[in-house]
Amino acid sequence: MKGTNIGELEELIMLIVALLYDDAYGYAIQKEIKERCDRSITISTVHASLARLEKKGYVNSRYAGATSSRGGRRKHLFRLTQAGEKVLIQTKEQRDSIWAAIPQMGQLSGL
Amino acid sequence: MSDSPQPPKWILNCLEWFCDPYLVEGISGDLEEAFLDNLQEKSIRLSQLIYMLQAIGFFRLIFKRTDKRPSNMASIWTNYLLTSYRSLKKHKVFFGINLVGLITAISCSLFALIFINDELQYDQHLQSGDQLYRLYKRHINVPENVDMLTYETSGMMGPTMLKEYPEVESFARVLPWWDQVIFTHDQKNIVSPSVYIADSTFTDLFDVELVQGNPRNLLQRPSSLMISESLSRSLFGNASPIGKQVIGIGDLEYTVTGVFKSPPRQASMQFDALVSWTTTVPNLGPMPQNWMNNWRAQAIFTFVKLSNHVDTQVLESKFEEMMKTHFAERAENYFLKLQPLQEMYLYGDEITMTRGMKTGSIKFVYLLGFSAFLIFLIASVNYVNIALSKASRSNKEVGIRKVVGSTRKQLMGRFIAETFIITCMASIISLALVYMILPEANNLIEKDIPLNTVFEPVSLISLVVFILGISLIVGAYPALVMSSRSISTILKSSSGTMNEAGWLRKVLVTFQYAVSIFLIICTIAVVRQINYLVNKPLGFNKSQVMVVHLDNEVGPKSAVFRDNLESHPNIASVSIGRSAMGGGSYTDRVTADDYEGDVSARMYGIDFDFIATYEIPLATGRAFRPGSKADSAGTLMVNEAFVNFMGWEEPVGKRITFQSGNSFPVIGVLTDFHIGSLAKNAIEPMVLFLNPRPEYASIRIGAGDMRQTIQYITESYEALAERTPIDFYFVDQWFDEQYKNEQQILSMASVYAVISVILCALGLYGLTSLILQQRRKEISIRKILGASIQSIIGMMNRQFVVIILISFVVSVPMAYWLINNWLQTFVYKIELDPAPFLFAVGITIVVSVAIISGLSYKFGSTRLTENLKEE
């Protein structure tokens, strides 16, 4: 199991990549994180995580078609791979099982 | 598009150069989009700044371009480093010489840099430092031939300036107390060497950092006392001292009003305690000192704070008016001037009376920097010379590289790489060396530069600059020469000739020798001048006299003290009075018979035994005599300088009148004697009067056991003192201490002279062995044809002796000029004679001839066949 663990930021970015689906590129991901989590991370950090995830094989990337905005530069788009989806689901299941094992927390929040 | 705001282009170029080309488009596009978004809400500049900061974030390894396209640059450089390493290993002797030279040069420069950097930071910590000025004055007195600058001012100048000139925002008067002060609280006595009496404004002007106490009520009231944290700890332990009573100056009670952090190390003013100025104001404080608060007496220091952008020259000219209105009698003598406080530490050389303040000297800074620079040049010359001479050996390597297709730039790279390796090594060793030597050097020049300064950014950055600079500058010339030859020339000449660089080599060696000879001459001259100052007869017997301070609780019991001392067999004589050698005199203006106007005379208050104790010869008349009715009514003695100034034929019986109106007859004349540094003080007209007020005891000790006698004196003192420890000095040591600055210059000059000679010798050694190598065939053939070893040695020596003589001729005028200038600063000085010059050139020739002859002899005695067979 050791090799498949991912960091918290990586998990977050993978989720956002999944969320944005067809328009997941660095800047968009950064903006989304800012909006949803009120968390400021630099563009370079997003790119670095994406590059790392791509190396691990959890995302793959391609360039979109030509565009006239962004100074004529194409978007570098990312999408989850199957391995990426699997590791996300695995992570969620792990969390859920641990959550379920905490009785007090459940009672406190009225579940 | 072109006129719409653009993100900074250069950083984008950097990104494109740095990042993986596959990633760059996505990255730059994202940055651009973010930039355009930012433009909606933020200013162009801010957006550009954000763009830049964001772009900088991309310089991470993960984005770095991994070149698939093979480049041979890396392997070329690896090869350069490897061949450089091999070449260094092959020529161990030259490598050693170069390494030692560079280490010396870099250490000297680094040390000079650390020192200079430290000196430049003095007094730079004050918040309103650029508004603070120190008052000093030019004192001109034509008939007495006085024209000097002094920090001494009078207590009325500051307050009057504040009242009359709106430019003056504030002032603070300071009087560093004359000697150490003993503070007593609850049976505890703590000696404090540096106490300032200061105005209440002092704490604001000089950013005194308060630890305890009410900032609005520190030095206002009489008898207020502020103490440093460490003093507070020694006196009160951990208890709060505020409001407590302490006995201090004048055995009076003071109330502690504040505790402050000791001034930073790099401050001119170092004090452990501050006493309020009001303490000394007549009719207000318990210790009235009229002289501190009138116009006439000149003994205190004044600092002023001006408003921003005041033209100090204009203000200085206004001071002349002020003097005319308030102190007309001295308006023609005293010209007040303002010195920026931040310059007080380094640029106060010319101004006398720096009592109680730390001082530096810009001249010393220049001297050190200049000497370090000279050493640096010598070492660089060694390097260039050896590299050039060695060049022929790398001919084949250079030729092959060229054939294989190296460009000239790459070839230069090869040689710069060699220099780079050796400079890196030298720098690292130098850093360690400076770190180890710094404590010694601190001692030598009396500084307290902390060890960790060695690793401060300033020195590390300059090391990097040294490494790169030397590699490029010193490495570039040989590289240039070697890479410039055409392939055929290089490969054709089996063992290259040195002629092409011969003239340059000679010029460089001449220069080296000139510097060494120059430094040797200067060192000898300084040694001779200092010996002269230390050994010149002072007009009295300075050895074996101990002076004890009695201006304390022992004073009233001085008669007992004297009796105890005189009973000791090894104490020849004891004099107790107001003055002693090294302290207790003052100047006053007097008038005299047969002389128009008044004269400033050095006043010496002595007792009956003073003249005998110091063994001062009498010129005419008689000395003070116990029991003489005339003497108890009031009589005076003078020195010969006084008599000469007055132009008296028959001095005995002439009357001298003091400012109080009292006049007394002269009964005797003493031969002239020195009372201070021979460097600075000419003998002044002097008046001696009877004043046995017990401030100093001068004790002449006999030839017996010195230690035991000092022990006895200390015990006799301690039997009478309850809280004051004994404070004494020896007169001869006191005089020697007056030449501290000169001694410092001497130690510096000698260190640099020795280093320069060693470096020159090393360089000569390397150069000679290279020349011998290159001329081995020629020399062998000469020997076959019948030349003797002696003639070969002579041949090798000839050109160097010529070089030394030329460099001697070059260095003499410079050295003469500099030494003469330096000697002009002394009142008493040696005459410059040819001896130092001849000695310098002599020793250089001897050392050089010894090295050259030794090497030539060794070479000449090896077997000829081996030299000729080679290749």
Side-chain angles (χ1 to χ4, degrees):
Chain A
M1 284 294 280
K2 197 183 173 214
T4 60
N5 273 334
I6 48 174
E8 182 263 351
L9 182 67
E10 286 176 335
E11 183 188 356
L12 182 63
I13 286 176
M14 281 169 74
L15 286 170
I16 303 285
V17 168
L19 174 77
L20 292 173
Y21 189 60
D22 236 358
D23 199 25
Y25 63 100
Y27 183 51
I29 295 170
Q30 186 218 15
K31 279 197 293 190
E32 197 67 29
I33 292 177
K34 172 89 187 144
E35 251 166 54
R36 287 188 179 267
C37 314
D38 193 25
R39 210 172 130 173
S40 294
I41 38 180
T42 59
I43 304 182
S44 52
T45 310
V46 177
H47 275 264
S49 294
L50 286 170
R52 226 171 279 127
L53 288 171
E54 190 166 13
K55 257 186 205 163
K56 288 181 186 172
Y58 296 149
V59 299
N60 58 24
S61 72
R62 67 195 188 285
Y63 269 98
T67 157
S68 62
S69 63
R70 305 173 25 110
R73 293 182 183 90
R74 293 174 299 163
K75 291 171 178 170
H76 191 190
L77 295 176
F78 291 83
R79 184 176 289 171
L80 288 191
T81 60
Q82 287 211 323
E85 266 174 50
K86 213 175 115 192
V87 85
L88 266 186
I89 292 167
Q90 233 174 38
T91 314
K92 185 178 177 333
E93 279 170 357
Q94 272 176 7
R95 304 282 147 89
D96 285 347
S97 74
I98 297 170
W99 270 104
I102 306 174
Q104 298 95 322
M105 292 284 274
Q107 286 162 8
L108 279 174
S109 54
L111 286 171
Chain B
M1 271 302 271
S2 62
D3 32 321
S4 66
Q6 293 288 320
K9 189 97 182 105
W10 62 271
I11 190 120
L12 189 61
N13 290 338
C14 290
L15 263 184
E16 279 169 2
W17 166 80
F18 178 82
C19 291
D20 190 334
Y22 175 72
L23 295 176
V24 159
E25 190 173 354
I27 289 171
S28 55
D30 278 3
L31 286 173
E32 180 100 15
E33 199 179 333
F35 175 70
L36 293 175
D37 276 2
N38 277 331
L39 276 183
Q40 310 287 322
E41 313 160 13
K42 298 178 179 108
S43 73
I44 297 174
R45 304 215 61 174
L46 187 61
S47 310
Q48 285 175 336
L49 184 71
I50 295 174
Y51 181 94
M52 231 163 66
L53 292 177
Q54 285 177 333
I56 287 171
F58 279 97
F59 291 95
R60 307 184 188 187
L61 275 182
I62 193 161
F63 303 118
K64 191 175 161 341
R65 104 182 12 247
T66 46
D67 269 316
K68 310 250 169 16
R69 174 171 49 94
S71 154
N72 58 354
M73 272 320 276
S75 58
I76 286 180
W77 276 96
T78 324
N79 181 266
Y80 286 169
L81 288 176
L82 189 69
T83 40
S84 301
Y85 170 71
R86 282 181 190 153
S87 145
L88 292 177
K89 218 169 112 182
K90 196 169 148 201
H91 307 297
K92 285 208 185 74
V93 175
F94 304 122
F95 172 65
I97 292 174
N98 279 335
L99 194 64
V100 170
L102 284 175
I103 289 173
T104 325
I106 294 175
S107 308
C108 286
S109 312
L110 193 62
F111 176 72
L113 194 102
I114 289 174
F115 173 82
I116 292 171
N117 186 49
D118 191 73
E119 291 286 274
L120 291 181
Q121 279 167 14
Y122 268 81
D123 293 327
Q124 304 302 311
H125 63 285
L126 298 172
Q127 249 174 21
S128 48
D130 51 342
Q131 283 171 266
L132 291 177
Y133 291 83
R134 185 173 187 184
L135 198 64
Y136 69 101
K137 66 174 194 255
R138 181 162 175 201
H139 178 187
I140 302 176
N141 189 330
V142 179
E144 288 166 37
N145 203 13
V146 172
D147 184 356
M148 60 188 277
L149 302 174
T150 168
Y151 281 122
E152 288 172 311
T153 53
S154 73
M156 285 311 288
M157 288 173 182
T160 314
M161 282 173 191
L162 181 69
K163 218 182 296 162
E164 298 189 355
Y165 304 111
E167 301 94 306
V168 179
E169 278 185 6
S170 174
F171 72 93
R173 291 166 292 182
V174 174
L175 177 83
W177 194 245
W178 313 97
D179 8 69
Q180 57 185 34
V181 172
I182 290 115
F183 287 111
T184 308
H185 172 79
D186 195 19
Q187 312 281 315
K188 246 189 237 162
N189 302 319
I190 305 294
V191 180
S192 162
S194 176
V195 179
Y196 287 5
I197 298 184
D199 273 308
S200 59
T201 43
F202 183 86
T203 48
D204 285 337
L205 257 50
F206 294 100
D207 300 342
V208 176
E209 205 178 317
L210 203 62
V211 180
Q212 284 183 59
N214 177 359
R216 274 184 301 175
N217 183 19
L218 293 171
L219 294 174
Q220 267 81 0
R221 256 174 262 151
S223 303
S224 300
L225 174 73
M226 288 176 71
I227 53 180
S228 69
E229 269 183 309
S230 63
L231 187 57
S232 165
R233 219 168 300 124
S234 322
L235 272 175
F236 299 96
N238 288 326
S240 163
I242 304 295
K244 300 243 172 70
Q245 302 291 314
V246 171
I247 297 172
I249 297 176
D251 290 340
L252 297 169
E253 277 212 332
Y254 295 85
T255 313
V256 179
T257 55
V259 178
F260 58 84
K261 262 209 173 69
S262 288
R265 181 179 67 83
Q266 285 161 321
S268 304
M269 287 194 246
Q270 299 288 339
F271 43 87
D272 318 306
L274 297 168
V275 171
S276 58
W277 190 271
T278 41
T279 313
T280 70
V281 176
N283 305 324
L284 186 64
M287 188 174 67
Q289 305 281 327
N290 199 33
W291 59 270
M292 282 170 72
N293 298 285
N294 67 13
W295 277 97
R296 174 169 292 282
Q298 307 286 318
I300 62 128
F301 305 138
T302 308
F303 298 88
V304 293
K305 182 180 179 186
L306 304 183
S307 352
N308 274 320
H309 315 299
V310 172
D311 186 342
T312 52
Q313 281 190 334
V314 175
L315 190 60
E316 279 171 3
S317 63
K318 290 184 189 168
F319 290 159
E320 284 181 37
E321 282 306 306
M322 179 184 84
M323 289 296 288
K324 277 184 191 135
T325 340
H326 296 278
F327 194 28
E329 48 187 305
R330 288 280 167 265
E332 295 302 312
N333 301 113
Y334 296 165
F335 298 91
L336 300 182
K337 308 210 173 286
L338 294 166
Q339 178 188 39
L341 188 95
Q342 290 167 334
E343 291 176 11
M344 147 174 130
Y345 179 77
L346 274 182
Y347 298 87
D349 269 3
E350 311 287 320
I351 312 176
T352 57
M353 282 310 284
T354 48
R355 200 173 64 79
M357 316 261 165
K358 261 196 199 174
T359 52
S361 155
I362 191 71
K363 279 188 201 150
F364 196 68
V365 165
Y366 286 143
L367 189 76
L368 192 85
F370 182 64
S371 315
F373 181 67
L374 286 183
I375 296 289
F376 197 84
L377 284 185
I378 293 184
S380 309
V381 167
N382 271 354
Y383 189 88
V384 171
N385 262 339
I386 290 180
L388 277 181
S389 313
K390 226 171 59 182
S392 53
R393 297 191 170 188
S394 358
N395 267 343
K396 280 193 184 142
E397 186 195 333
V398 174
I400 301 286
R401 279 189 193 279
K402 277 204 160 182
V403 170
V404 172
S406 285
T407 61
R408 191 160 168 200
K409 259 191 196 161
Q410 288 171 334
L411 266 180
M412 286 180 66
R414 152 72 180 85
F415 289 105
I416 291 175
E418 193 171 324
T419 321
F420 182 74
I421 294 179
I422 192 171
T423 354
C424 276
M425 288 177 72
S427 298
I428 291 166
I429 299 175
S430 302
L431 201 62
L433 200 67
V434 169
Y435 186 79
M436 285 188 302
I437 290 179
L438 193 62
E440 295 302 314
N442 266 338
N443 264 341
L444 194 68
I445 54 173
E446 307 207 345
K447 290 272 300 180
D448 43 4
I449 304 173
L451 265 182
N452 55 17
T453 348
V454 178
F455 298 109
E456 266 180 15
V458 182
S459 36
L460 294 182
I461 289 172
S462 47
L463 261 190
V464 174
V465 174
F466 278 144
I467 295 177
L468 294 179
I470 298 176
S471 304
L472 286 179
I473 297 165
V474 182
Y477 186 76
L480 216 60
V481 171
M482 283 180 245
S483 59
S484 66
R485 301 183 210 154
S486 72
I487 303 176
S488 50
T489 344
I490 299 172
L491 289 177
K492 216 165 53 190
S493 60
S494 57
S495 73
T497 52
M498 293 171 42
N499 292 342
E500 41 202 307
W503 65 271
L504 180 82
R505 205 184 60 222
K506 279 181 188 147
V507 169
L508 290 178
V509 173
T510 312
F511 164 79
Q512 256 185 329
Y513 272 111
V515 171
S516 290
I517 293 175
F518 170 79
L519 285 174
I520 298 174
I521 297 175
C522 292
T523 310
I524 299 171
V526 175
V527 169
R528 285 164 60 114
Q529 169 67 11
I530 292 179
N531 279 344
Y532 171 79
L533 291 178
V534 171
N535 296 330
K536 187 176 187 297
L538 295 173
F540 67 91
N541 184 354
K542 69 175 174 180
S543 55
Q544 306 267 73
V545 182
M546 176 173 162
V547 175
V548 180
H549 285 267
L550 290 186
D551 189 16
N552 49 43
E553 55 184 319
V554 183
K557 307 171 199 159
S558 62
V560 185
F561 186 51
R562 177 201 292 268
D563 288 346
N564 283 343
L565 293 184
E566 280 174 346
S567 69
H568 191 274
N570 197 32
I571 292 177
S573 159
V574 180
S575 155
I576 292 178
R578 194 186 185 290
S579 304
M581 293 297 171
S585 70
Y586 60 97
T587 56
D588 205 353
R589 306 200 69 83
V590 295
T591 54
D593 285 357
D594 308 337
Y595 186 78
E596 289 287 324
D598 55 357
V599 58
S600 163
R602 176 70 44 182
M603 307 301 290
Y604 245 63
I606 60 175
D607 70 347
F608 297 113
D609 301 306
F610 183 86
I611 293 166
T613 305
Y614 284 100
E615 299 176 6
I616 307 167
L618 201 62
T620 46
R622 65 172 180 88
F624 297 121
R625 237 188 339 245
S628 151
K629 269 193 190 134
D631 288 352
S632 48
T635 53
L636 300 173
M637 294 182 74
V638 294
N639 64 354
E640 286 173 321
F642 193 93
V643 176
N644 294 338
F645 186 84
M646 292 298 162
W648 287 340
E649 295 285 323
E650 180 43 62
V652 176
K654 292 281 194 307
R655 297 186 80 81
I656 295 172
T657 311
F658 291 89
Q659 280 180 341
S660 56
N662 298 330
S663 84
F664 302 102
V666 173
I667 54 160
V669 179
L670 289 172
T671 56
D672 283 338
F673 58 94
H674 293 278
I675 57 164
S677 154
L678 296 185
K680 293 195 200 95
N681 311 100
I683 290 180
E684 304 161 276
M686 185 185 283
V687 174
L688 299 98
F689 55 98
L690 273 179
N691 187 344
R693 194 169 94 197
E695 295 198 5
Y696 296 93
S698 309
I699 305 159
R700 173 160 295 282
I701 297 171
D705 185 349
M706 189 64 152
R707 260 177 49 126
Q708 192 266 328
T709 315
I710 296 174
Q711 181 69 31
Y712 177 79
I713 296 172
T714 311
E715 277 164 13
S716 320
Y717 178 95
E718 277 165 1
L720 301 170
E722 273 168 31
R723 61 187 200 95
T724 337
I726 189 164
D727 182 14
F728 67 88
Y729 58 88
F730 283 90
V731 171
D732 47 358
Q733 284 170 8
W734 184 87
F735 272 92
D736 290 349
E737 264 169 36
Q738 305 304 303
Y739 310 120
K740 234 166 41 186
N741 285 340
E742 288 74 25
Q743 300 277 14
Q744 274 182 22
I745 290 176
L746 175 66
S747 14
M748 277 237 342
S750 29
V751 166
Y752 280 114
V754 168
I755 290 177
S756 79
V757 171
I758 293 176
L759 284 184
C760 272
L762 273 179
L764 185 67
Y765 180 87
L767 203 54
T768 312
S769 27
L770 275 169
I771 292 176
L772 283 170
Q773 276 289 318
Q774 269 153 355
R775 294 173 70 177
R776 63 188 180 278
K777 281 190 180 161
E778 179 205 328
I779 293 173
S780 305
I781 292 171
R782 275 174 195 271
K783 270 192 78 184
I784 290 173
L785 295 179
S788 62
I789 286 193
Q790 285 90 324
S791 73
I792 287 168
I793 292 176
M795 182 185 81
M796 290 304 294
N797 271 317
R798 205 167 304 132
Q799 59 168 333
F800 279 103
V801 172
V802 171
I803 285 178
I804 292 175
L805 290 178
I806 294 175
S807 45
F808 177 62
V809 171
V810 173
S811 59
V812 162
M814 263 179 67
Y816 183 81
W817 177 80
L818 189 81
I819 295 169
N820 226 358
N821 264 358
W822 181 68
L823 285 178
Q824 291 315 312
T825 61
F826 291 91
V827 177
Y828 297 92
K829 49 187 171 270
I830 51 167
E831 288 294 323
L832 251 186
D833 58 15
F837 299 90
L838 294 180
F839 180 79
V841 73
I843 197 160
T844 326
I845 290 182
V846 167
V847 170
S848 311
V849 167
I851 290 173
I852 297 170
S853 306
L855 279 172
S856 310
Y857 181 79
K858 200 178 134 208
F859 184 81
S861 352
T862 49
R863 283 166 55 194
L864 294 174
T865 44
E866 265 166 31
N867 290 331
L868 286 170
K869 207 167 60 186
E870 218 173 87
E871 280 178 60

